[in-house]
Amino acid sequence: QRLHEQPVSTDGEALRERCEQARGERRAFLRRHSAIMRRETVVAQLAPPWKHIGDDSFKHGDFFTAASCYTRALDDLRSDGGPEAEVDRAAVAVALSNRAACLAKVRLWEESLADAWAALDSRPNWGRAWSRIGHATAALGRVQEAVDAYLEAVTFEPSGANVQALSDIVARRGANAEDAHKTKEVGNGAMR
């Protein structure tokens, strides 16, 4: 009851003015932020979708064009935002892995292997990168390295394709049928 009887101080009026000023500053900030976000969206939409062009080229069997597009995508990913910007390591790994697949299709095995290792550096414990390493090392005749890589691929990504590739490379290594079956069961166990 006594609070209502006391006169309103000028401090309360100052506080109300400050709150109103803060609300105005917040509205101005939100308008600026919204405008910036719209500009960034437009710029992102205008940027060449190199990965998508590469994917389409790969699907149509144009592996050199696809590899070139993935290289452009990598250049864009690595140059966005300057040296202190955080690079999207997963996107870099995908572009490297895709380029490794293109290089494998045209039988540039060493280059494919280098990209597969770089993809693994960008995204450790990724089954697809390990399978690309397995494919390239198998093609280079480094069968034990291929077995090891496919074992890692099955560990991190226990897909039917990785299990089958592991089984095939073990059989190619000249192991007896029992060893090949045991290795395939390791892969099957990872899928369970």
Side-chain angles (χ1 to χ4, degrees):
Q1 198 176 38
R2 294 182 75 180
L3 288 174
H4 294 291
E5 294 173 8
Q6 293 178 353
V8 177
S9 72
T10 57
D11 290 333
E13 194 63 35
L15 181 60
R16 273 191 289 279
E17 287 176 17
R18 180 65 190 122
C19 286
E20 188 57 40
Q21 181 184 1
R23 282 188 203 104
E25 289 172 0
R26 182 174 184 274
R27 283 190 296 270
F29 168 78
L30 290 174
R31 280 192 303 273
R32 285 191 308 270
H33 178 60
S34 179
I36 290 169
M37 294 307 291
R38 281 192 306 273
R39 277 194 301 267
E40 287 179 2
T41 301
V42 168
V43 168
Q45 290 169 347
L46 294 175
W50 295 115
K51 183 195 177 296
H52 299 298
I53 296 169
D55 293 346
D56 287 342
S57 297
F58 188 90
K59 287 176 191 170
H60 290 97
D62 189 357
F63 305 118
F64 287 107
T65 299
S68 178
C69 289
Y70 295 132
T71 300
R72 295 286 300 267
L74 285 165
D75 292 344
D76 288 352
L77 286 167
R78 291 175 175 154
S79 67
D80 286 347
E84 69 280 348
E86 186 67 28
V87 174
D88 184 352
R89 294 176 65 81
V92 167
V94 168
L96 285 164
S97 175
N98 290 351
R99 190 170 69 182
C102 294
L103 295 169
K105 288 287 190 179
V106 295
R107 301 182 181 278
L108 294 172
W109 303 115
E110 290 291 345
E111 294 83 353
S112 176
L113 183 59
D115 274 357
W117 278 114
L120 192 65
D121 286 342
S122 293
R123 190 172 169 187
N125 305 329
W126 187 31
R128 186 185 306 169
W130 280 111
S131 69
R132 300 271 196 250
I133 291 167
H135 184 69
T137 53
L140 289 167
R142 295 161 29 190
V143 178
Q144 186 55 50
E145 288 178 59
V147 169
D148 295 341
Y150 279 123
L151 279 170
E152 293 294 327
V154 167
T155 300
F156 295 115
E157 194 173 306
S159 67
N162 284 342
V163 171
Q164 187 59 51
L166 175 61
S167 177
D168 291 347
I169 196 69
V170 167
R172 181 175 154 192
R173 182 175 64 181
N176 62 34
E178 184 179 325
D179 286 343
H181 180 72
K182 285 179 186 176
T183 304
K184 187 170 182 178
E185 284 305 311
V186 167
N188 289 337
M191 290 183 67
R192 292 184 193 126

